[in-house]
Amino acid sequence: MRVIGLMSGTSYDAVDAAAADLRLDGDTLVLKPLGMVSTPYDGGLREALATALPPAAVALAEVCRLDTRIGQAFAAAAVRAERELCGGRGELVASHGQTVYHWVDGDRVHGTLQLGQPAWIAEATGLPVVADFRARDVAAGGQGAPLVSLVDLLWLRGRAGTPVALNIGGIANLTAPDGTAFDTGPGCALLDAAAREFSGGRLAYDADGALAARGRVHRPLLDRLLAEPYYTLAPPKTTGKELFHSGYLRGSGADGLSAEDTLATLTLLTARTVADAARSVGATEVIASGGGTRNPVLMSHIRDLLPRTAVRTSDELGLPAAAKEAYAFAVLGFLTAHGLPGTDPRSTGARHPSVLGSVTPGREGLRLPPAPRGGPVRLVVEA
């Protein structure tokens, strides 16, 4: 089945569309990457989204407008991927949507909201669309995240030692081979917030860690940030920009510091929380993906903090670091279309595995493939 996975993470800068040929070969799921295209949100939509995210208050009318405009942006990305990557022969779209709120209270998740109405994608492509993946896991008592954990468990099964999959987006998360999975902390969220604050909105992020590289770590600020109670919670646990946002940064006592020193401190914060999480699960290897892997200062810190642990990117294992989550959601869409669970309760804390998402029929109605006798136990990436 030729599947297009659509993803926009907590950095909300673009819609990534990755296409893959997926097939079940016995108990092995074979993934052949077909490539990725990335379509930036237009400036107006990105600004409207940034203005609506927590801790801002937002009217339902604006939520409706964002749901439509994000859906249209995802639809345009899907049309492009179907044409450029699938040669007009796509069969399914799996859309993560744009997370705008993750309702966390202590160690419990009560709800989650992703915008990007899938009807726009189905109408534009003519293909069936699987969307709204997280809600079913939350309804089953889970955290609704990290949902890529099942894919990581299948992908890394049989690899020597204790390989850990790490994704550094706006929020960073990891998955260990025993099924332990959780958000480690802010990832790039606070880095991006600081870059925007200090530049008056001119910079969306600290490109190549250039500002952080010129700064000095402010130890009192780092210590205050590391005292965040979230880090002491036991997994499974999830977090988001409901906690790690610009207001959090302004309330941290960073006033008076330069942009360079603030970003140097925040970059080490992300590295420390990632390294602490990797050590907590006994990682012998960290396989990283996500936008944070493009920050050489951040990656250097992580390697320095984990001197006896191999740290590499997912590119070395056949999945481009920039596209890994989009490919992961293509896999989850494939599993849903075949009636197979897309979660591992060890990772999300749910009561049971769940078939994820809601399906919007395509132009020809809903014609799902027959369910196989069993689900995959491993994932192989085919060159």
Side-chain angles (χ1 to χ4, degrees):
M1 176 179 279
R2 193 160 284 194
V3 185
I4 298 166
L6 301 176
M7 179 72 195
S8 177
T10 45
S11 294
Y12 58 91
D13 51 357
V15 181
D16 296 329
D21 269 329
L22 289 156
R23 72 178 190 277
L24 278 170
D25 185 0
D27 62 2
T28 300
L29 179 58
V30 181
L31 183 155
K32 182 176 181 179
L34 300 177
M36 183 195 83
V37 292
S38 186
T39 306
Y41 281 137
D42 70 62
L45 176 54
R46 194 169 194 274
E47 181 60 29
L49 182 55
T51 301
L53 289 175
V58 61
L60 284 175
E62 183 60 15
V63 174
C64 180
R65 283 190 285 268
L66 284 170
D67 193 34
T68 293
R69 294 177 66 191
I70 293 169
Q72 291 168 337
F74 271 65
V79 167
R80 182 182 169 198
E82 214 270 335
R83 181 180 66 249
E84 296 180 19
L85 305 177
C86 298
R89 294 183 290 116
E91 297 172 78
L92 180 73
V93 178
S95 175
H96 170 270
Q98 179 68 62
T99 297
V100 293
Y101 196 76
H102 201 59
W103 180 14
V104 183
D105 184 8
D107 61 355
R108 287 195 59 195
V109 174
H110 298 280
T112 187
L113 180 62
Q114 287 73 43
L115 297 184
Q117 175 53 241
W120 291 100
I121 305 170
E123 184 66 23
T125 63
L127 302 176
V129 180
V130 184
D132 202 20
F133 285 90
R134 299 187 185 276
R136 182 60 185 273
D137 185 72
V138 172
Q143 297 279 313
L147 279 193
V148 298
S149 294
L150 178 67
V151 179
D152 289 332
L153 291 171
L154 296 174
W155 180 44
L156 299 180
R157 179 160 290 158
R159 196 167 177 83
T162 306
V164 166
L166 168 70
N167 185 74
I168 312 174
I171 302 297
N173 62 70
L174 65 72
T175 303
D178 66 356
T180 302
F182 56 96
D183 289 339
T184 66
C188 297
L190 294 180
L191 304 181
D192 295 349
R196 285 193 297 272
E197 289 272 319
F198 279 105
S199 68
R202 183 177 55 85
L203 298 178
Y205 61 98
D206 182 15
D208 297 323
L211 290 170
R214 296 198 296 269
R216 298 180 64 183
V217 172
H218 189 270
R219 292 289 167 177
L221 174 59
L222 179 63
D223 291 341
R224 286 195 296 272
L225 292 168
L226 286 170
E228 164 58 49
Y230 175 79
Y231 303 129
T232 64
L233 295 176
K237 60 181 179 178
T238 55
T239 187
K241 287 189 173 179
E242 300 76 29
L243 176 59
F244 296 113
H245 51 67
S246 57
Y248 181 95
L249 179 60
R250 287 192 293 271
S252 67
D255 296 347
L257 293 183
S258 67
E260 291 82 358
D261 289 355
T262 301
L263 279 155
T265 305
L266 294 175
T267 302
L268 185 55
L269 170 72
T270 292
R272 273 284 303 274
T273 52
V274 164
D276 289 349
R279 279 192 293 267
S280 76
V281 297
T284 58
E285 178 184 33
V286 172
I287 301 161
S289 60
T293 61
R294 298 194 295 269
N295 184 324
V297 178
L298 174 59
M299 294 303 293
S300 178
H301 281 323
I302 293 172
R303 291 187 171 97
D304 289 345
L305 291 165
L306 296 170
R308 290 180 292 278
T309 302
V311 178
R312 52 177 50 92
T313 67
S314 62
D315 301 79
E316 297 179 41
L317 277 69
L319 285 180
K324 179 175 169 277
E325 284 215 315
Y327 279 120
F329 276 92
V331 170
L332 294 179
F334 175 91
L335 294 175
T336 296
H338 287 80
L340 297 171
T343 60
D344 186 315
R346 297 175 299 170
S347 300
T348 67
R351 293 184 294 272
H352 53 75
S354 295
V355 179
L356 300 176
S358 301
V359 182
T360 301
R363 192 169 295 127
E364 297 181 3
L366 191 58
R367 299 178 183 178
L368 298 178
R373 292 183 179 180
V377 300
R378 65 182 58 84
L379 171 70
V380 172
V381 178
E382 187 177 78

